[in-house]
Amino acid sequence: MNLTRTIVISLDVLLGHKLRTLLSCGGIAIGVAAVVLMVGAGQAAEEDVVGKVRSMGTNLLLVQAGRFRAFGGRTHQVATYTTLTPTDARIIERKAPGASLACGFVQRGVMARYQGVRTRTSLAGADPEIFAIRGIAADRGKLFTDLDEKSMARVAVVGPTVVTNIFNGADPIGQTLEINKVLFKVIGVASARGQDLSGNDQDDIIYAPLSAAMVRVFHVTYLQSILVQADGPESMQTLPDEMTPLLRRSHRLKPDKDDDFTIQDQAQIMQSEQETSQAFTVLIGSVAGVSLFTGGVGILAVMLISIRERTREIGLRRALGARRRDILYQFLLEAGTLAGMGGVSGIMIGLGGNILTCRIAGWPVVWPWNATLYAFGISVAMGILFGLYPARKAARLEPATALHAAG
Amino acid sequence: MIELSGIEKTYHTGGVDTPVLHGINISIEEGEFVALMGPSGTGKSTLMNILGLLDRPTAGVYKLAGQDLTKLDDNKLSTIRNKRVGFVFQLFHLLPRVSVLQNVLLPFLYTDPYPTDARDRAQSLLKGVGLQDRMYFKPNALSGGQQQRVAIARALVNEPALILADEPTGNLDSVASQEILEIFDRIHAQGRTIVMVTHEAEIAAHASRVITLKDGCIASDEKRGS
Ligand SMILES: Nc1ncnc2c1ncn2[C@@H]1O[C@H](COP(=O)(O)OP(=O)(O)OP(=O)(O)O)[C@@H](O)[C@H]1O
Ligand SMILES: [Mg+2]
């Protein structure tokens, strides 16, 4: 039997029963659309996480003051420690072979005042290396330098959100900003970084030289953390072991004492987030897969009705010389075609919905090619699987009985 | 051409045995036009199903052109139906959703290899039954007589030696019946073997031989010189 001729006949039949074809395709289409949409959304969310992890800086280790304990999937500081200092950052930079940059860091919420209006924001005191590590450029004005750091200059680089919130979008360069009653001069606007993994605005921030922030605003001598950039991916493994003895010696810790700092791999911190969204993708993907199965049952029903209605046609074909297997193939092909048409429309609906979802959620648009191919393949397989029973039933009909059936 | 010896048929349905044919012996020569007559329920259609390889006899031997068909498997029987038997049914049995031409081409769907002149053959046959300007119509746009002519064209398209027609005019008025019978006469004149079931003597008059069944046995078998 010629395949193209069979396809032509099947299509003829399917197009003849428009409503029924539509209904059974619909089930599969919804299933496929659900898989494509859900997996697309899941992958976009994952991609979003990956993008955010990358925006935190590559090959980055975080030395945090104090001990951290994992709690509810996130880490929490157990107590405040005052032992981590800017000197530690210099030690790491100089003595840890795998470290290329080390940047002292303190960030806290502050009250900023400009032209009498007070606004809550946050101040990050950091070494100038922070800009390189986080990939921040000056959108306007300039960034502060080592010179500003050494001279404890009261200069500030503000994030785009601060420009909107405090300066009402006007050019802030050269303006004087009061931060916790200390006057700073705005010298630059930082490039936008967007939201972090928890959805916090990373642009609602003011950067100031570490020395000025610590001494003049926060009145502390210790750091919150040190951001350490490794000189390559390989050093990420060895760097913690290089830094630990350096910091312990610097903090004069006796051998029986626990570390008073915690070294974390940024990527590691985010890995759990990523795993969560991966699990989410798999879960919703499977749920959507169930609806594909339901679509398959729809095909089964439609094929059974179709075969009952077309018993005499089957008898006629047998009389004209169709073998059992010709009848089997014809109905399998019909079921497969039905499912395939459902699959294609489902893919189109799913991809369309996917673009929309990503736009709305602000995620990067990810084409879930794998899921699309799988969903299509599975839908055709479902069609053939669920078409198998009706098709076998059709093929087993005795020619004489089928031909003279009522209807 | 056809040799039936000791053909018996018993239907088993729902645990009940219905014996229908009781030892039928018939021999039909090539080119004969046989009318099969008899009261309703005597097993004419049952015999036609066996002749057309749509059903197997419970006992007995069926030889077509010297070949014993009783032992052949379903695939081989299908091929024989496709190439050597043409069916004309009382209820036409056309596919409603495809054109007249496609209906006539349907047997070729199961012919290997597909003849290159399939379309020409179908078209000239449709012309032969006066439907050349109805080729792209759907069957239900045609009258009963026209539909039956399409069915005859379909039965002839693979040039079978044997034509089986079970009450081909049973659903037609006398004018249409007359047209159909003329076509059968022509087919007969071309040398094909025809077996036709009918209830009417005038129709049987077209045949060269009349076999009458009664209660599953042959009651009479008359050849006419013509
Ligand atoms: N599939 C079947 N199962 C059981 N009995 C059947 C079956 N087909 C036919 N019969 C019985 O076999 C007998 C002969 O039927 P058949 O159709 O061959 O008669 P017929 O001579 O063609 O009658 P008619 O002139 O009415 O068409 C009938 O009694 C019928 O009820
Ligand atoms: Mg009958």
Side-chain angles (χ1 to χ4, degrees):
Chain A
M1 185 171 60
N2 182 303
L3 189 65
T4 46
R5 273 182 282 149
T6 314
I7 292 174
V8 167
I9 295 255
S10 303
L11 280 177
D12 259 333
V13 170
L14 294 175
L15 294 178
H17 287 283
K18 285 190 189 65
L19 181 66
R20 189 191 298 165
T21 302
L22 197 75
L23 285 177
S24 57
C25 282
I28 286 278
I30 290 168
V32 171
V35 170
V36 171
L37 189 60
M38 293 300 163
V39 174
Q43 285 182 352
E46 268 175 56
E47 192 77 359
D48 190 49
V49 171
V50 171
K52 277 168 180 163
V53 170
R54 216 169 276 142
S55 83
M56 301 180 80
T58 43
N59 298 334
L60 206 59
L61 286 177
L62 187 66
V63 182
Q64 288 187 274
R67 302 288 313 159
F68 282 74
R69 218 187 299 139
F71 181 76
R74 288 172 192 253
T75 48
H76 296 268
Q77 196 173 17
V78 177
T80 313
Y81 284 76
T82 59
T83 46
L84 200 66
T85 63
T87 315
D88 291 335
R90 298 286 77 78
I91 290 173
I92 290 170
E93 207 169 56
R94 246 174 265 135
K95 297 195 176 160
S100 61
L101 288 177
C103 168
F105 191 80
V106 189
Q107 180 174 354
R108 286 184 198 175
V110 290
M111 196 58 83
R113 211 169 88 143
Y114 177 68
Q115 292 180 343
V117 182
R118 289 151 57 87
T119 312
R120 187 145 267 293
T121 179
S122 88
L123 176 70
D127 290 318
E129 285 85 356
I130 190 73
F131 300 119
I133 288 172
R134 287 192 170 171
I136 296 171
D139 263 4
R140 261 180 277 165
K142 56 181 184 181
L143 304 172
F144 55 78
T145 61
D146 278 331
L147 219 63
D148 296 315
E149 172 63 40
K150 285 204 183 80
S151 63
M152 225 182 275
R154 286 171 300 159
V155 292
V157 173
V158 296
T161 307
V162 173
V163 176
T164 318
N165 289 356
I166 298 180
F167 297 97
N168 289 318
D171 186 1
I173 309 292
Q175 300 298 315
T176 303
L177 185 63
E178 196 184 300
I179 302 170
N180 281 7
K181 305 237 154 61
V182 184
L183 295 177
F184 278 77
K185 188 177 152 204
V186 178
I187 59 165
V189 176
S191 51
R193 294 180 67 219
Q195 295 177 349
D196 73 2
L197 279 168
S198 322
N200 300 320
D201 183 3
Q202 299 185 93
D203 297 322
D204 188 7
I205 193 169
I206 301 168
Y207 293 95
L210 182 63
S211 51
M214 285 173 73
V215 175
R216 298 186 195 274
V217 183
F218 299 140
H219 310 294
V220 292
T221 56
Y222 53 89
L223 295 174
Q224 196 176 324
S225 54
I226 301 173
L227 292 126
V228 184
Q229 189 165 47
D231 55 15
E234 316 80 45
S235 303
M236 291 293 285
Q237 309 304 318
T238 52
L239 200 47
D241 294 334
E242 291 168 10
M243 293 191 294
T244 302
L246 291 172
L247 290 171
R248 288 185 68 90
R249 201 177 317 137
S250 162
H251 298 178
R252 294 178 222 285
L253 289 175
K254 301 225 170 66
D256 58 324
K257 284 270 192 188
D258 284 338
D259 293 344
D260 59 356
F261 54 88
T262 309
I263 299 171
Q264 284 177 314
D265 183 339
Q266 291 287 69
Q268 238 166 42
I269 303 170
M270 297 316 148
Q271 209 161 348
S272 65
E273 297 262 359
Q274 215 171 324
E275 273 160 14
T276 310
S277 58
Q278 253 159 18
F280 170 75
T281 306
V282 170
L283 179 75
I284 55 180
S286 341
V287 170
V290 171
S291 61
L292 250 184
F293 192 78
T294 316
V297 175
I299 297 237
L300 175 71
V302 166
M303 292 307 292
L304 281 176
I305 295 170
S306 169
I307 280 158
R308 177 183 292 184
E309 246 188 26
R310 288 157 63 196
T311 306
R312 290 206 307 192
E313 176 193 324
I314 295 163
L316 171 76
R317 287 173 184 271
R318 296 281 278 130
L320 297 184
R323 294 162 299 177
R324 290 189 193 282
R325 89 170 90 108
D326 294 326
I327 301 295
L328 181 80
Y329 292 162
Q330 181 192 338
F331 283 96
L332 278 186
L333 200 85
E334 275 188 38
T337 310
L338 267 180
M341 295 198 304
V344 169
S345 25
I347 285 168
M348 295 196 291
I349 297 169
L351 289 182
N354 189 43
I355 295 178
L356 258 172
T357 319
C358 292
R359 285 269 160 79
I360 291 168
W363 293 328
V365 177
V366 177
W367 296 109
W369 290 121
N370 281 342
T372 306
L373 285 179
Y374 277 132
F376 182 73
I378 289 173
S379 64
V380 172
M382 284 287 172
I384 289 172
L385 187 76
F386 281 100
L388 197 61
Y389 169 68
R392 280 178 69 104
K393 214 172 139 136
R396 282 190 179 160
L397 286 170
E398 288 301 331
T401 322
L403 199 53
H404 300 116
Chain B
M1 165 159 190
I2 292 174
E3 266 178 79
L4 297 179
S5 42
I7 295 290
E8 292 181 18
K9 179 68 188 180
T10 301
Y11 287 111
H12 312 274
T13 23
V16 184
D17 284 2
T18 319
V20 178
L21 298 178
H22 311 283
I24 302 282
N25 300 300
I26 305 176
S27 165
I28 297 171
E29 298 304 318
E30 195 163 344
E32 279 192 282
F33 183 169
V34 178
L36 198 55
M37 299 191 70
S40 188
T42 46
K44 300 183 296 295
S45 296
T46 303
L47 185 58
M48 290 295 268
N49 285 342
I50 290 169
L51 284 173
L53 305 170
L54 297 171
D55 208 353
R56 288 173 193 267
T58 317
V61 175
Y62 175 13
K63 282 187 184 169
L64 182 65
Q67 185 183 17
D68 185 357
L69 304 181
T70 23
K71 288 178 192 68
L72 293 186
D73 67 11
D74 190 81
N75 287 348
K76 294 221 174 65
L77 293 183
S78 299
T79 307
I80 294 176
R81 282 198 300 270
N82 181 247
K83 299 209 164 130
R84 292 165 54 189
V85 186
F87 293 90
V88 180
F89 306 101
Q90 182 178 357
L91 299 174
F92 322 138
H93 280 298
L94 300 176
L95 294 187
R97 261 172 279 277
V98 299
S99 71
V100 162
L101 183 63
Q102 286 299 324
N103 265 288
V104 175
L105 286 169
L106 196 59
F108 290 139
L109 191 57
Y110 308 109
T111 304
D112 220 13
Y114 189 83
T116 45
D117 60 342
R119 237 183 137 81
D120 294 341
R121 265 150 78 176
Q123 283 172 340
S124 80
L125 278 166
L126 281 170
K127 208 168 172 183
V129 296
L131 291 173
Q132 61 274 24
D133 48 1
R134 298 283 193 280
M135 284 197 281
Y136 299 102
F137 282 46
K138 293 283 161 67
N140 56 9
L142 304 184
S143 72
Q146 290 172 325
Q147 291 191 38
Q148 194 61 301
R149 283 187 266 155
V150 175
I152 293 172
R154 180 183 63 194
L156 293 173
V157 80
N158 228 344
E159 294 172 345
L162 177 63
I163 302 289
L164 298 175
D166 194 342
E167 300 189 48
T169 58
N171 265 21
L172 302 175
D173 62 25
S174 56
V175 177
S177 299
Q178 208 47 52
E179 288 169 0
I180 297 298
L181 284 169
E182 276 164 25
I183 296 172
F184 272 102
D185 285 340
R186 239 162 52 212
I187 299 168
H188 179 216
Q190 284 161 6
R192 277 183 231 277
T193 313
I194 302 172
V195 180
M196 180 192 286
V197 174
T198 181
H199 284 285
E200 292 168 58
E202 311 102 80
I203 293 172
H206 288 256
S208 60
R209 179 177 172 188
V210 179
I211 298 174
T212 310
L213 284 190
K214 196 150 190 267
D215 299 328
C217 298
I218 294 174
S220 73
D221 185 348
E222 302 161 24
K223 284 194 195 182
R224 296 198 195 112
S226 60

